[in-house]
Amino acid sequence: MKVLVVGANGKVARHFAEIVKDHESIQEKAMIRKAEQESFFSERGIETVLLDLAKNSIDELAEAARGMDAVIFSAGAGGKGLDKTVKIDLDGAIKVMTAAEQAGVKRFVMVSTFRTGREEMEKENSLQVYTIAKNYADEWLKNRTELDWTIVHPGILVDESGTGNIKVGTDFEINEIPREDVARTLVAVLENDNTIKKEFEVLAGDKAVNDAVKSL
């Protein structure tokens, strides 16, 4: 399976690259924004493509996706202001969905925020715009595309080493999850077609990643 990872230089996606660099059936193509990010991937034998979500066209994104079996959207503005959040987390996501369909790629995995929906969007906090952007990107994916989607809602991301154990479901109290275990979850999602047309929260837990994902 050939997978285009959008936002490949992010912390979760870098863990994904480490996991799949020697994977027997998953081959990554990393979409990066800066040339200086390329060495991390080339050292791991991973192909890169240099594109900017905010600046490059849908046609250019579609060309990068052509020949892929799946797309993972793990990009984010990282709280760098309203304009960037809208351009990356909302419009950028929709551009990539459109490009995937244009390129004939069916499988699409979205890394979202922990919780979306009207109640979450109305909370006035520093994450409000981000939550709104993620909510409507998720809704577009579910309702305005023909993609075989999965939406992953991770808890509070931390940099501790992963344990390989998680819990998945809905309506959890928010808690932490190592970024490494989110990356392992993304691999398991690609390996398990039972995740198609499903969305779920993922937190640190006591069940092996693959077993947890298979239980969805």
Side-chain angles (χ1 to χ4, degrees), residues 6-8 10 33 53 73-80 84-85 87-90 93 111 130 134:
V6 180
R33 192 167 59 87
L53 267 182
F73 188 90
S74 188
K80 295 177 182 175
K84 285 189 178 296
T85 299
K87 285 181 180 178
I88 301 302
D89 294 282
L90 178 53
V111 182
Y130 173 73
K134 284 294 190 185

Side-chain angles (χ1 to χ4, degrees), residues 77-141:
K80 295 177 182 175
L82 173 61
D83 287 354
K84 285 189 178 296
T85 299
V86 171
K87 285 181 180 178
I88 301 302
D89 294 282
L90 178 53
D91 188 53
I94 292 170
K95 285 169 71 176
V96 174
M97 296 172 210
T98 307
E101 291 195 300
Q102 187 172 309
V105 182
K106 287 291 288 180
R107 194 74 171 93
F108 196 102
V109 181
M110 171 71 81
V111 182
S112 186
T113 190
F114 180 68
R115 189 156 294 153
T116 54
R118 176 57 53 190
E119 184 178 342
E120 293 300 316
M121 291 192 295
E122 290 178 350
K123 293 179 179 178
E124 295 186 7
N125 55 39
S126 61
L127 293 175
Q128 186 177 28
V129 172
Y130 173 73
T131 302
I132 292 169
K134 284 294 190 185
N135 179 83
Y136 285 112
D138 292 353
E139 289 301 309
W140 188 286
L141 178 58

Side-chain angles (χ1 to χ4, degrees), residues 26-45:
I26 296 175
Q27 181 181 346
E28 178 180 356
K29 182 178 182 180
M31 183 174 139
I32 55 175
R33 192 167 59 87
K34 298 179 180 179
E36 54 264 35
Q37 298 167 351
E38 189 270 341
S39 61
F40 173 87
F41 299 96
S42 63
E43 289 166 5
R44 289 156 179 80

Side-chain angles (χ1 to χ4, degrees), residues 145-162:
T145 77
E146 298 298 324
L147 295 164
D148 289 338
W149 54 265
T150 304
I151 302 173
V152 180
H153 298 273
I156 299 167
L157 299 170
V158 295
D159 288 327
E160 281 86 351
S161 296

Side-chain angles (χ1 to χ4, degrees), residues 53-70:
L53 267 182
K55 296 176 181 177
N56 286 101
S57 68
I58 290 171
D59 286 347
E60 289 168 320
L61 295 169
E63 185 58 34
R66 209 169 305 282
M68 298 291 107
D69 300 299

